Amino acid sequence: FAPTTPRRLRPDLSLFSAAPATTDVECLVIGGGISGSTLAHNLNRAGVDLLLTEARDYLGGNVKSRKQDGFVWEEGPNSFATQPSIVRISHELGIEDQLVFADESLPPWVNHNGKLHPLPKGKGGKGPKGQLELVFGSNGVLKFGLLGELLSIPGTIRAGIGAFLGHAKAPEGKEETIREWVTRTLGEEVFLRCIDPFVSGVYAGDPQTLSMKAALGKIARIENYAYDIEWNKFGAIFYGGLARQVELTKERKADPPDPSWVEFEYGNPGSYKEGLATLPNAISEGLGQPVGVTELVEGSKVRLQWKIKSLETVEGGGYVATFETPEGVRTVNAKSVVSTAPAHALAEVIRPVLPKASEILEADRAARNQKGIYHPPVYAVTVAYPKSAFRDVELANSFGPLRDLPGFGMLNPRSEGVRTLGTLWSSSLFPGRAPPDYNLLLNYIGGSRDVGIAELTESEVVSEVDKGCRTTLLKPDAPPPKLLGAKLWPTAIPQYEIGHLDLMERLEKEEKTAPGLWICGNYRSGVAFPDCVTFGYEHAKVVKEFLTKLK
Ligand SMILES: Cc1cc2nc3c(=O)[nH]c(=O)nc-3n(C[C@H](O)[C@H](O)[C@H](O)COP(=O)(O)OP(=O)(O)OC[C@H]3O[C@@H](n4cnc5c(N)ncnc54)[C@H](O)[C@@H]3O)c2cc1C
Ligand SMILES: C=Cc1c2[nH]c(c1C)Cc1[nH]c(c(CCC(=O)O)c1C)Cc1[nH]c(c(C)c1CCC(=O)O)Cc1[nH]c(c(C)c1C=C)C2
């Protein structure tokens, strides 16, 4: 009889050989998320002899895309705000034809009093250019007035005074939280209805503990630009935003995209046809590790399921790292080491080499009596409903039936009582994400103000998400959701809280006592996907320079 189930083709084991007990390399990269993978890609292009080691059985870290039954969805990040580094690496890897960019006219929406309100479009009637610009505009100033019913008249007037006339000066010698900074400059209402939801929509964090200059530094610096304008005595931030915009335009003109790259709009939400994992997958192939193969492959510069356990200095320079691997303990002698693993994964490992840095990574978070840099849990829950299940009442201030989901997605301020932090309208953002008669929704739920989410069962979480969808999007008789996936990230996004920058300064100082060792990651170079890719380019230059000097 023909086998009822095809025999699982055994991989050609001749491809695989056990890794030697010890390997010598020029650069050891720890962590194969998007930061470590892009760094390894650039080191490889620079001719550095490297090894990329990753504890999981795939490259990408938080980045995981899925495809099934005509749906394409993300288990981690949903999209990126396009920057040159992403277009450049896509060109280098030959995947730029896979790039997809969202329709720029799709605004994000905010739920207020149970109705959805669009946030104003970006400049030139365009859509989101990174969420910071959405609220503060391309010139860094809140696009008020156009906020329809989202802001009351007094709230709009208060914001207008802060934007155009001025506001109280920053308190001397005190690091402000996001709440304190926004309330001082633009007023309480703008904070509660616009900024609070966007802080959830980036950090899944608490604006009452996040540091303005650490978490939203690009916006905080607009106040400095404002005070640099001699006649702008009271720091009205609209003019600071204009000044920043002029400087940003100059910076971009000074470093234009390569003409061989595909055209792109700075900040426009983007992805790849088959999801964000297209990028780490292409890097894996480029480093000699076929996607889906976890075993060691001859010539591959990638080691999967390699979990670092210890790191020590070697007499005369360099480091020796010890890994737990499927084949037992393996060691790597390296002239340089770059860690991109999350802070909490690394603290113990670096204690022998950088004891003070280890303490920093385990610093007491007095605010929460926690250790280290706080990473709250976030669930990413992707569900689909038939388009017919969506209310056909018009969205507040919008046109056309809700069925088209005319936007980037929606955010729920905590004051609305909806547990879901926000919902990406994935099938509206990028083509081919769902069969034509379905809308695909990616919901993020949890975060630093709802850590209990991690204790719920999957069905309880899905039920909470479904409740949220029924509050603003669905008809009462909508069918139960088609669940595509529910993924818990127990330590999702590093929180840039009050004191974070001081910790990073101390870490950098400690790092300098160990030449050729760098403690990196998204808790230092920024949480945004593009920041991690840009890190990969920038830090490869630092490592290459260090190795060249050694020769
Ligand atoms: C749910 C969610 C939604 C997000 N949405 C967006 C978005 O829409 N847009 C956006 O721009 N950003 C988004 N982000 C942020 C962005 O995805 C991350 O900042 C980025 O992916 C971090 O990449 P990384 O490589 O720095 O870290 P990670 O992805 O955490 O990679 C670190 C790697 O180190 C490995 N590791 C850990 N310990 C060890 C060890 N002992 N030995 C070896 N390896 C180890 C881990 O397995 C992991 O693969 C989101 C993040 C999350 C969690
Ligand atoms: C509601 C929860 C979350 C949503 N996204 C994230 C969370 C926690 C995570 C996240 N999203 C973005 C970033 C990068 C931040 C940056 O500096 O660029 C992170 C860490 C990107 C982002 N978030 C929003 C927008 C408009 C953007 C920029 C566009 C892009 O990068 O594609 C706001 C926003 N986030 C969520 C929704 C539903 C939403 C607006 C409607 C989900």
Side-chain angles (χ1 to χ4, degrees), residues 531-547:
D531 292 339
C532 301
V533 177
T534 302
F535 158 80
Y537 277 102
E538 297 306 321
H539 203 72
K541 296 175 200 163
V542 173
V543 174
K544 181 68 179 174
E545 186 184 351
F546 171 81
L547 292 170

Side-chain angles (χ1 to χ4, degrees), residues 266-287:
Y266 286 85
N268 194 27
S271 183
Y272 296 93
K273 285 174 188 160
E274 308 270 305
L276 292 174
T278 305
L279 177 54
N281 288 347
I283 292 173
S284 186
E285 298 282 346
L287 294 174

Side-chain angles (χ1 to χ4, degrees), residues 76-83 102 107-110 119 128-132 134 197-205 215-216 218 267-271 378 407-412 414 420-425 429-430 442-445 447 492-493 526-531:
N78 162 71
S79 55
F80 47 74
T82 307
Q83 293 301 325
W109 298 76
V110 177
L119 276 182
K129 297 267 174 73
Q131 84 292 354
L132 298 179
L134 290 169
F198 270 98
V199 171
S200 295
V202 170
Y203 290 94
L216 299 182
K218 293 173 194 164
N268 194 27
S271 183
V378 172
F408 174 86
M410 57 173 282
L411 288 163
N412 296 303
R414 297 304 80 208
T420 300
L421 293 169
T423 304
L424 278 312
W425 298 344
L429 264 182
F430 304 119
L442 166 51
N443 302 270
Y444 293 128
I445 185 168
I493 302 177
V527 299
F529 186 102
D531 292 339

Side-chain angles (χ1 to χ4, degrees), residues 413-528:
R414 297 304 80 208
S415 53
E416 290 297 319
V418 176
R419 196 162 186 177
T420 300
L421 293 169
T423 304
L424 278 312
W425 298 344
S426 306
S427 46
S428 299
L429 264 182
F430 304 119
R433 295 295 161 107
D437 54 340
Y438 272 87
N439 281 325
L440 186 67
L441 308 177
L442 166 51
N443 302 270
Y444 293 128
I445 185 168
S448 69
R449 293 184 279 187
D450 183 8
V451 296
I453 204 74
E455 310 312 319
L456 299 188
T457 63
E458 182 183 283
S459 58
E460 287 168 336
V461 175
V462 174
S463 164
E464 290 295 325
V465 162
D466 182 51
K467 263 191 262 177
C469 293
R470 289 175 193 277
T471 309
T472 48
L473 293 172
L474 300 174
K475 292 175 182 172
D477 63 349
K482 177 179 175 60
L483 173 64
L484 278 306
K487 170 79 177 175
L488 172 62
W489 298 95
T491 52
I493 302 177
Q495 302 296 298
Y496 285 50
E497 297 182 310
I498 295 290
H500 186 85
L501 294 181
D502 294 343
L503 281 182
M504 294 303 105
E505 270 177 38
R506 285 170 49 202
L507 184 59
E508 190 175 357
K509 188 164 159 273
E510 285 308 310
E511 200 178 50
K512 289 189 165 64
T513 65
L517 171 60
W518 293 276
I519 314 296
C520 304
N522 64 351
Y523 56 94
R524 286 188 78 180
S525 43
V527 299

Side-chain angles (χ1 to χ4, degrees), residues 159-375:
I161 290 169
F164 291 103
L165 299 179
H167 45 73
K169 266 192 170 294
E172 282 293 317
K174 177 185 184 302
E175 186 178 2
E176 289 182 295
T177 66
I178 291 177
R179 176 167 196 150
E180 288 165 336
W181 189 94
V182 176
T183 303
R184 174 173 61 85
T185 52
L186 294 168
E188 177 85 4
E189 195 173 279
V190 161
F191 166 72
L192 290 173
R193 299 185 189 177
C194 300
I195 307 305
D196 179 287
F198 270 98
V199 171
S200 295
V202 170
Y203 290 94
D206 182 350
Q208 301 191 89
T209 63
L210 289 168
S211 156
M212 184 67 195
K213 71 176 182 178
L216 299 182
K218 293 173 194 164
I219 296 301
R221 281 192 292 278
I222 276 171
E223 188 174 12
N224 304 342
Y225 287 104
Y227 281 114
D228 288 346
I229 300 166
E230 198 261 331
W231 48 264
N232 191 15
K233 300 273 184 242
F234 300 105
I237 54 174
F238 174 80
Y239 311 105
L242 286 180
R244 173 58 190 148
Q245 189 57 40
V246 168
E247 188 176 74
L248 199 55
T249 306
K250 281 183 191 159
E251 285 168 6
R252 289 175 180 173
K253 281 206 172 106
D255 183 17
D258 188 300
S260 64
W261 302 347
V262 292
E263 283 198 15
F264 66 94
E265 278 286 327
Y266 286 85
N268 194 27
S271 183
Y272 296 93
K273 285 174 188 160
E274 308 270 305
L276 292 174
T278 305
L279 177 54
N281 288 347
I283 292 173
S284 186
E285 298 282 346
L287 294 174
Q289 188 73 26
V291 173
V293 174
T294 53
E295 294 83 1
L296 183 132
V297 173
E298 205 64 38
S300 168
K301 299 179 188 300
V302 177
R303 296 290 182 272
L304 296 175
Q305 297 179 301
W306 276 40
K307 183 176 182 182
I308 189 165
K309 296 309 285 178
S310 72
L311 184 69
E312 305 199 0
T313 50
V314 171
E315 198 64 38
Y319 300 89
V320 57
T322 308
F323 291 86
E324 241 173 43
T325 84
E327 300 145 351
V329 174
R330 290 290 182 272
T331 57
V332 175
N333 293 318
K335 292 178 182 167
S336 59
V337 178
V338 185
S339 174
T340 65
H344 47 79
L346 197 78
E348 203 43 50
V349 169
I350 61 168
R351 192 180 301 285
V353 182
L354 288 172
K356 286 186 183 166
S358 179
E359 280 165 31
I360 291 166
L361 294 182
E362 287 196 329
D364 273 338
R365 306 302 305 162
R368 201 176 291 100
N369 189 25
Q370 293 268 336
K371 282 251 178 248
I373 293 152
Y374 183 50
H375 293 61

